[in-house]
Amino acid sequence: MSRQPMNNLPSSPRPPGAFRWTPRQITLASLLVLAVLLCWLPAFQTMADRYVDDGLQRSLLSFATARALHSVVSVLQGTELAVQPMGVGLTLTLGQVLAPISDLVAQFADWMLWASIAFGLQKLLLSMGGSYGVTGLLSLIALAWLLLRWRQQAVPTWLSRLLVVLLFTRLVMPVTIIGSEALFQHFIAQTYQENQIATEGAVGQLQQFDVRAPAKAPAADAATPTPPASPAVAPSSSLWERFKLWGQQAQQSASQAASGVQDLVRNPGDALRDKLGELQQQLDQQVERLVTLMVVFALQTLVIPLVLVWALLQLCKGLLAGPRQPVAKS
């Protein structure tokens, strides 16, 4: 009876759920190792801490500028303009004129406050996620996951999900903070600095702005020139010459009175109109600056972090996707 050679014995069947290493699995395992090593790198955490502090300082500075601007606009809103043409008192206020810009500044201040809260929350989550307990637990779970893959054994679903949760918790804050700060410095830092400096300068200009000075009516002696002395009427003049001379004097007096009234009414109004036009121009420019700053902080605290969080989540979810089972042929 012939014996069958040992090397011709059929190999033992692979355990259910086992799989072969594929280039995709090798790439995911390499990325996992790099992610764990990055979590233990002190410079990675330090960089994220510095960037979130820089963002918090910028938002607080803009918030303080917004509050100062709102205070100045509120003072201007309560300014009363007293104009007294021909002794008739007229009082005007700037409350309705400055109401839109006041509302915009208040909304901008609220937005800067929420941006500061967002940066503070990022700093808190960064500190919690970067603790040694989370990093150590992530390292142990990653090591167990890699050992099961190395032995070509099926990885439990709960282990993969726990790995994704820990990896996302540990990396979401540093990655989003560093990524958003890098995009901010590369694309919108100059825009922020220009508008922030211009806003601070506008606050100083508005603090020195005095809209009441041009509204004062000029003094009577300065506005109305002293009429020239009327020529003496000769006693020997005829009655017709006297009436003619009186008519000329009355016409000259009426013309001077009308000119004086026109100066009293027109000059303060023109000066006031010019001053209000200058104020309106400054406020129109400030509206554009405030809207630009709101867009800048919306990008840094909302849009860019959400995009980075979504990208990181999709990368981490790749660990959950197991190998594709080949379709059984009939």
Side-chain angles (χ1 to χ4, degrees):
M1 185 175 179
S2 62
R3 297 183 177 178
Q4 189 176 2
M6 296 296 295
N7 53 3
N8 293 332
L9 290 177
S11 58
S12 59
R14 295 174 61 193
F19 61 91
R20 297 181 181 276
W21 282 93
T22 62
R24 176 177 176 274
Q25 298 297 331
I26 294 176
T27 302
L28 289 176
S30 301
L31 291 176
L32 180 59
V33 173
L34 291 177
V36 174
L37 293 178
L38 188 64
C39 293
W40 286 104
L41 188 64
F44 181 64
Q45 187 75 14
T46 303
M47 183 184 301
D49 288 332
R50 185 175 70 252
Y51 285 166
V52 74
D53 289 337
D54 293 342
L56 181 59
Q57 291 179 0
R58 286 194 298 266
S59 62
L60 291 177
L61 177 61
S62 297
F63 175 72
T65 304
R67 297 303 302 172
L69 181 60
H70 187 267
S71 300
V72 174
V73 174
S74 299
V75 172
L76 290 176
Q77 278 186 295
T79 302
E80 294 184 353
L81 307 178
V83 182
Q84 297 179 354
M86 295 187 304
V88 179
L90 179 62
T91 302
L92 303 175
T93 59
L94 300 179
Q96 296 297 328
V97 178
L98 301 180
I101 185 65
S102 178
D103 295 339
L104 178 61
V105 174
Q107 294 177 4
F108 175 72
D110 293 339
W111 182 259
M112 291 302 99
L113 179 60
W114 282 109
S116 302
I117 294 175
F119 280 116
L121 184 60
Q122 289 180 4
K123 186 174 180 63
L124 177 61
L125 294 178
L126 179 64
S127 178
M128 295 174 59
S131 62
Y132 289 106
V134 176
T135 306
L137 184 59
L138 171 63
S139 302
L140 293 177
I141 298 299
L143 180 60
W145 188 88
L146 290 173
L147 287 177
L148 291 176
R149 290 294 178 92
W150 178 260
R151 295 179 180 179
Q152 296 185 356
Q153 296 179 2
V155 179
T157 304
W158 66 267
L159 184 63
S160 296
R161 290 180 177 176
L162 181 60
L163 176 61
V164 170
V165 170
L166 290 175
L167 191 62
F168 184 79
T169 303
R170 180 61 182 87
L171 293 178
V172 62
M173 281 296 102
V175 170
T176 54
I177 291 173
I178 294 175
S180 61
E181 182 67 17
L183 294 176
F184 172 83
Q185 294 294 338
H186 191 269
F187 293 104
I188 54 182
Q190 184 177 0
T191 302
Y192 164 78
Q193 292 177 358
E194 293 176 353
N195 288 273
Q196 177 64 29
I197 293 175
T199 302
E200 293 176 356
V203 173
Q205 293 177 0
L206 291 176
Q207 286 177 347
Q208 299 176 357
F209 190 86
D210 187 7
V211 73
R212 292 171 295 182
K216 295 181 181 179
D221 55 348
T224 305
T226 304
S230 58
V233 181
S236 61
S237 300
S238 63
L239 184 61
W240 170 250
E241 292 179 353
R242 291 183 180 182
F243 274 112
K244 184 178 179 181
L245 184 58
W246 290 341
Q248 292 177 355
Q249 293 177 355
Q251 184 180 4
Q252 184 180 4
S253 299
S255 176
Q256 292 176 355
S259 177
V261 171
Q262 188 177 8
D263 291 339
L264 286 173
V265 176
R266 182 189 59 204
N267 291 344
D270 291 343
L272 178 60
R273 190 181 302 110
D274 295 340
K275 200 68 175 179
L276 291 179
E278 179 185 353
L279 177 62
Q280 185 65 34
Q281 183 179 3
Q282 293 183 7
L283 295 180
D284 290 342
Q285 295 176 356
Q286 192 56 43
V287 168
E288 183 179 356
R289 299 188 190 111
L290 294 180
V291 173
T292 302
L293 289 175
M294 292 175 68
V295 172
V296 167
F297 280 96
L299 287 174
Q300 192 180 11
T301 60
L302 186 62
V303 178
I304 296 178
L306 287 179
V307 173
L308 294 176
V309 166
W310 178 84
L312 181 61
L313 182 60
Q314 296 302 316
L315 180 62
C316 293
K317 286 172 63 177
L319 298 175
L320 282 176
R324 297 179 179 178
Q325 299 294 337
V327 180
K329 297 182 180 179
S330 57

